């Protein structure tokens, strides 16, 4: 009898011990190893697990967007209390599952629909793109900056526009030539799109695609480029100037801590939307971690100048000053501060105010200087 | 314009090599749908070997792995007489999956000394003519074609049907492997999962489009390369949406396939050979 009680207590203890850990599960749209989107999320997951001793994580990779619900079913059965779905296309599936499992907390990356138990989150690059645009504007000799773009959706358009606004702030006559490849991952298309832009005279490149193809292609012709998503300096040490780097772990750790502390419950997430920027350290400007600008190109950017408020300043100093400002707890500068007109001359952000989050998330217009096809451009 | 022609050749090269490889196998009567997976695995092998032992060993590794996979396909299609379509699809899936799994630690690594594309392009160009000469002007080539057309007759003449098919699969596999090596050592000197991105399937379609003739494959591959480049070169300067451009090469392939009607496929293509049946 005593032994029975002992065993029961042991089992209960183990169960409680299990219970003490928070189980968070991640659903990835691609394979982890692609050095791009999914890879970065997985780095975030690992860092969160290392930082939070009470956290247990699990992930499922390469989940097709239409099959997210059965995967969630399985994860919930396995005891996941928090589910992170990391692709825009999971949106409707997540909302369906959220109705089915009202006690589970869901967080959907890049999503725009929420529910009492569904939050949304995004580490956004638009500020970093503006800063990189300043550098690109200073570095172009032909006045043509190339952009190899994935899909024509608001997120990518917002980034191209921020980049173009930066380019034009330094070089008011410069053009940003955009080519759409209609894919997140397609090195062959990225390669040939870059070649096409090189043939048209572009000499500085930025892009949205999950491989360093654009960088490698540009470097062969001696053109500068900006890395995307993860540090890409090593692929062209002489030609990568800077780039956009993500830190999803910052969001994951904050979110999970708040779940653990009871701040976030399955009842109060309707208003929770992380749109984290430089000030939250969710993104970084850099050719590599901790290297905002490749030291090889610093002299060039110091020699180039631009006019700010009627005064001449070195582009390098301007970039560093804005980077510091936007990384501070209370930034005073925002790239999308009016007056901003689109390339057709329509006022998109009136003078004296900042674009709202809503405006940024649904942005469809093209900034002045952007040249090329722009699907969905407002009339 | 020069730029467009240059890109047509440089992007057409991996497609051409893979097409020649599949074409050779199919001339002997074995359907080769494994191209995509074979390219992916040989690209990985080439990259790994180039990192460890230098670029020339990279090329060698790519070709050898390709040839090995060709012979592996032969075990199922020639010796075991499995359904060739199913075996090819399985090989593709296996190659893609295995390369993704084995390649994890090579992801995100730069290749210190990328190879020039020009050399590969020239080699591929010459190989198309060489293969043409081999198929139509040599005795072995004649055997190979007759095995693909009428294996029974070839067998009666004392030609080893199985031997010829293995030879064609191995040599073809080597060419497909070379195409993979081009991708990871020259065209895009890096390795990522799924980097073949459908080029193998383009090659499979191009074999039919080229009516199993090496010189037509040469033309077709460059034509595809040209269209692929032009979709980005013209985007924005002509009032056609980018999505339509993206679909253009594939639409053209379908169109040409439809117009070319019944291309003369080797008559025994897809039929396992068994003596006495």
């Amino acid at each position: 009898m005593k032994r029975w009680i002992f065993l029961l207590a042991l089992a209960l203890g183990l169960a409680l011990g299990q219970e003490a850990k928070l189980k968070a599960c991640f659903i990835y749209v691609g394979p982890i190893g692609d050095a791009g989107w999914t890879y970065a999320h997985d780095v975030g997951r690992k860092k969160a697990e290392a930082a939070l001793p009470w956290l247990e994580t699990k992930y499922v990779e390469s989940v097709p967007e239409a099959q997210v619900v059965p995967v969630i079913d399985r994860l919930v059965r396995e005891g996941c209390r928090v589910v992170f779905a990391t692709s825009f296309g999971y949106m409707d599936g997540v909302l369906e599952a959220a109705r089915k499992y009202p006690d589970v907390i869901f967080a959907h990356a890049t999503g725009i629909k929420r529910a009492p138990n569904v939050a949304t989150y995004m580490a956004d690059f638009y500020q970093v793109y503006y800063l990189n645009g300043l550098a690109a504007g200073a570095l172009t000799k032909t006045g043509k900056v190339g952009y190899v773009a994935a899909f024509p959706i608001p997120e990518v358009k917002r980034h191209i526009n921020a980049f173009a606004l930066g380019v034009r702030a330094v070089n008011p006559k410069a053009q940003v030539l955009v080519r759409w490849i209609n894919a997140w991952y397609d090195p062959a298309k990225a390669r040939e799109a870059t070649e096409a832009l090189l043939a048209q005279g572009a000499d500085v490149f930025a892009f949205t695609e999950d491989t360093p193809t654009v960088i490698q292609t540009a470097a062969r012709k001696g053109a500068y480029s900006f890395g995307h998503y993860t540090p890409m300096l090593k692929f062209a040490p002489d030609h990568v100037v800077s780039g956009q780097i993500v830190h999803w772990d910052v969001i994951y750790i904050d979110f999970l801590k708040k779940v653990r502390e009871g701040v976030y419950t399955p009842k109060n997430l309707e208003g929770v939307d992380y749109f984290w920027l430089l000030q939250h350290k969710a993104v970084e400007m850099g050719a590599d971690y901790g290297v905002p600008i490749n030291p090889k190109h610093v002299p060039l950017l110091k020699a180039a100048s631009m006019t700010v408020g009627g005064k001449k300043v070195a582009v390098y100093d301007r970039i560093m000053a804005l980077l510091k400002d936007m990384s501070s707890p209370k930034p005073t500068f925002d790239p999308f501060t009016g007056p901003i007109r689109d390339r057709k001359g329509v006022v998109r952000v009136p003078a004296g105010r900042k674009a709202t989050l809503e405006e940024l998330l649904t942005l469809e217009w093209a900034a002045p200087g952007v040249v090329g096809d722009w699907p969905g451009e407002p009339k | 314009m020069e730029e467009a022609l240059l890109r047509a050749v440089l992007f057409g090269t991996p497609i051409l090599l893979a097409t020649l490889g599949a074409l050779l196998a199919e001339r002997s009567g074995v359907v080769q749908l494994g191209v995509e997976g074979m390219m992916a695995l040989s690209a990985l092998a080439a990259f790994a070997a180039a990192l460890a032992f230098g670029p020339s060993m990279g090329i060698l590794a790519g070709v050898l792995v390709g040839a090995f996979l060709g012979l592996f396909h032969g075990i199922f299609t020639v010796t075991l007489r499995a359904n060739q379509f199913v075996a090819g699809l399985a090989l593709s899936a296996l190659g893609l999956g295995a390369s993704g799994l084995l390649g994890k630690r090579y992801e995100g690594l730069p290749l210190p000394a990328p190879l020039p594309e020009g050399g590969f392009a020239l080699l591929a160009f010459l190989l198309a003519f060489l293969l043409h000469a081999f198929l139509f002007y040599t005795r072995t080539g004649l055997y190979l074609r007759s095995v693909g057309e009428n294996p029974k007759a070839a067998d009666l003449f004392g030609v080893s049907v199985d031997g010829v098919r293995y030879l064609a699969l191995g040599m073809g596999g080597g060419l497909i492997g070379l195409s993979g090596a081009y991708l990871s050592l020259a065209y895009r000197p890096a390795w990522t999962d799924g980097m073949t991105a459908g080029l193998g399937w383009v090659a499979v379609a191009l074999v039919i489009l080229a009516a199993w003739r090496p010189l037509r494959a040469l033309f077709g591959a460059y034509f595809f390369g040209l269209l692929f480049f032009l979709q980005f070169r013209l985007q924005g300067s002509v009032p056609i949406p980018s999505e339509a451009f993206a679909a253009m090469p594939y639409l053209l392939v379908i169109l040409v396939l439809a117009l070319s009607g019944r291309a003369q496929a080797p008559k025994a293509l897809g039929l396992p050979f068994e003596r006495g049946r």
Side-chain angles (χ1 to χ4, degrees):
Chain A
M1 189 65 192
K2 250 183 192 168
R3 199 202 275 171
W4 277 112
I5 292 171
F6 172 74
L7 279 176
L8 202 70
L10 189 73
L12 207 67
L14 280 175
L16 283 174
Q18 288 282 312
E19 205 56 36
K21 277 210 168 187
L22 177 67
K23 190 162 179 181
C25 300
F26 293 72
I27 303 174
Y28 301 143
V29 72
I32 287 169
D34 66 3
W37 179 258
T38 294
Y39 172 79
H41 278 281
D42 200 57
V43 169
R45 176 188 70 84
K46 283 189 194 141
K47 282 193 179 170
E49 201 169 54
L52 309 171
W54 40 262
L55 180 70
E56 183 189 344
T57 66
K58 186 177 162 64
Y59 66 85
V60 189
E61 57 184 331
S62 299
V63 175
E65 292 177 332
Q67 282 169 30
V68 69
V69 178
V71 171
I72 293 175
D73 285 339
R74 200 181 89 209
L75 291 175
V76 171
R77 266 203 308 279
E78 289 171 7
C80 297
R81 286 189 46 220
V82 182
V83 174
F84 292 101
T86 65
S87 181
F88 184 79
Y90 291 150
M91 187 152 61
D92 291 325
V94 165
L95 285 160
E96 188 189 324
R99 277 191 297 275
K100 212 156 135 190
Y101 305 108
D103 295 330
V104 176
I105 287 176
F106 292 89
H108 179 215
T110 75
I112 51 174
K113 291 183 189 169
R114 264 160 274 157
N117 58 337
V118 180
T120 51
Y121 65 101
M122 170 74 175
D124 197 82
F125 284 143
Y126 81 88
Q127 295 171 321
V128 184
Y129 262 115
Y130 180 82
L131 298 175
N132 284 333
L134 294 177
L139 292 173
T140 177
K141 290 193 186 77
T142 57
K144 288 177 180 170
V145 178
Y147 195 107
V148 177
F151 287 100
I153 58 169
E155 179 191 327
V156 178
K157 289 178 175 175
R158 172 171 74 241
H159 293 163
I160 296 171
N161 282 346
F163 184 68
L165 289 171
V167 169
R168 281 269 176 137
V170 172
N171 191 338
K173 284 189 191 142
Q175 294 180 330
V176 176
L177 310 181
V178 176
R179 290 293 172 271
W180 302 100
I181 60 170
N182 292 302
W184 292 115
Y185 174 88
D186 196 323
K189 283 184 179 166
R191 168 85 201 259
E192 299 307 323
T194 311
E195 295 284 357
L197 287 165
L198 283 165
Q200 281 167 281
D203 61 351
V204 181
F205 285 84
F207 66 96
T208 317
E209 197 260 349
D210 275 346
T211 67
T213 307
V214 174
I215 284 175
Q216 290 179 307
T217 308
R220 287 183 200 208
K221 300 272 169 73
Y224 298 113
S225 56
F226 295 85
H228 185 63
Y229 228 74
T230 46
M232 293 186 171
L233 181 66
K234 57 184 178 236
F235 287 97
D238 294 331
H239 295 93
V240 172
V241 179
S242 181
Q244 306 82 233
I245 303 176
V246 78
H247 293 283
W248 289 107
D249 48 294
V250 182
I251 293 180
Y252 286 139
I253 291 171
D254 184 85
F255 190 88
L256 290 165
K257 265 188 183 163
K258 287 185 173 145
V259 170
R260 169 84 170 180
E261 289 158 5
V263 180
Y264 292 157
T265 71
K267 308 247 168 338
N268 67 0
L269 299 178
E270 198 111 33
V272 175
D273 177 33
Y274 285 65
F275 186 75
W276 275 18
L277 306 164
L278 278 170
Q279 68 182 103
H280 308 99
K281 315 275 179 269
V283 293
E284 180 181 347
M285 176 193 186
D288 203 345
Y289 293 122
V291 185
I293 292 174
N294 186 346
K296 284 184 182 155
H297 304 123
V298 168
L300 279 171
L301 294 173
K302 278 189 172 157
S305 66
M306 62 187 287
T307 317
V308 182
K311 267 188 276 179
K312 268 203 162 219
V313 292
V315 173
Y316 179 79
D317 295 339
R318 176 72 174 162
I319 293 173
M320 285 305 168
L322 292 182
L323 179 60
K324 198 177 161 206
D325 175 69
M326 290 192 282
S327 306
S328 72
K330 278 204 183 326
T332 57
F333 178 85
D334 189 90
F336 287 107
T337 304
I340 296 177
R341 290 171 185 273
D342 68 14
R343 66 175 177 183
K344 293 180 168 173
V346 180
V347 177
R348 290 297 168 185
V349 187
R353 83 165 175 84
K354 248 174 60 177
T356 63
L357 183 57
E358 174 73 16
E359 280 171 334
L360 290 178
L361 291 180
T362 57
L363 185 153
E364 291 284 0
W365 47 273
V370 170
V371 177
D373 188 29
W374 194 265
E377 182 166 18
K379 291 270 161 10
Chain B
M1 196 59 214
E2 282 164 42
E3 187 70 26
L5 292 179
L6 183 69
R7 293 314 312 161
V9 171
L10 292 184
F11 183 59
T13 294
I15 303 173
L16 173 61
L17 286 169
T19 306
L20 292 177
L23 185 150
L24 193 59
E26 301 207 347
R27 271 287 180 180
S28 80
V30 181
V31 178
Q32 180 52 288
L33 297 186
V35 184
E36 181 84 6
M38 293 167 75
M39 263 168 96
L41 254 187
S42 40
L44 172 64
F47 189 77
L51 272 191
F53 311 109
S56 47
M57 290 317 261
I59 299 178
L60 188 68
V63 171
L64 286 180
V65 165
F68 170 78
L69 289 171
L71 296 174
F72 184 68
H73 189 49
I75 295 177
F76 295 95
T77 53
V78 178
T79 305
L80 299 174
R81 298 182 188 86
N83 182 310
Q84 298 177 2
F85 294 89
V86 176
L89 289 175
L91 183 59
S92 254
L94 181 78
L96 282 175
S99 65
L101 196 68
L102 300 173
K104 280 221 189 298
R105 64 200 200 87
Y106 292 100
E107 237 150 343
L109 294 179
L111 188 69
L115 292 171
E117 292 168 307
F120 278 95
L122 186 67
L123 183 63
F125 182 79
L126 294 177
L127 277 170
F129 283 92
L130 210 66
L131 201 61
H132 176 82
F134 167 71
L135 280 175
F136 299 104
Y137 299 101
T138 68
R139 188 168 290 266
T140 322
L142 177 69
Y143 288 158
L144 200 153
R145 281 186 296 133
S146 52
V147 163
E149 294 293 336
N150 192 342
K152 213 176 230 174
D155 187 49
L156 283 176
F157 276 101
V159 177
S160 161
V161 173
D162 287 5
V164 166
R165 286 187 171 176
Y166 267 110
L167 179 77
L169 279 168
M171 276 169 53
L175 287 169
I176 295 169
L178 187 61
S179 162
Y182 174 84
L183 282 183
S184 66
L185 300 182
Y187 181 74
R188 240 213 89 206
W191 159 259
T192 29
D193 190 7
M195 67 181 289
T196 46
L199 287 183
W201 298 110
V202 171
V204 167
L206 216 54
V207 174
I208 304 167
L209 197 67
W212 292 268
R213 292 175 164 272
L215 297 182
R216 284 205 210 175
L218 183 80
F219 180 75
Y222 291 166
F223 185 61
F224 190 88
L226 181 70
L227 283 178
F228 200 84
F229 173 78
L230 282 183
Q231 65 170 302
F232 300 111
R233 185 70 176 81
L234 297 180
Q235 195 188 106
S237 24
V238 289
I240 302 174
S242 61
E243 292 90 342
F245 267 122
M248 204 166 66
Y250 306 98
L251 289 177
L252 260 148
V253 167
I254 293 171
L255 188 75
V256 177
L257 273 180
L259 291 180
S260 65
R262 300 171 303 275
Q264 319 82 328
K267 287 197 182 58
L269 184 61
L271 305 174
F273 174 72
E274 211 163 339
R275 182 173 279 167
R277 280 207 176 178

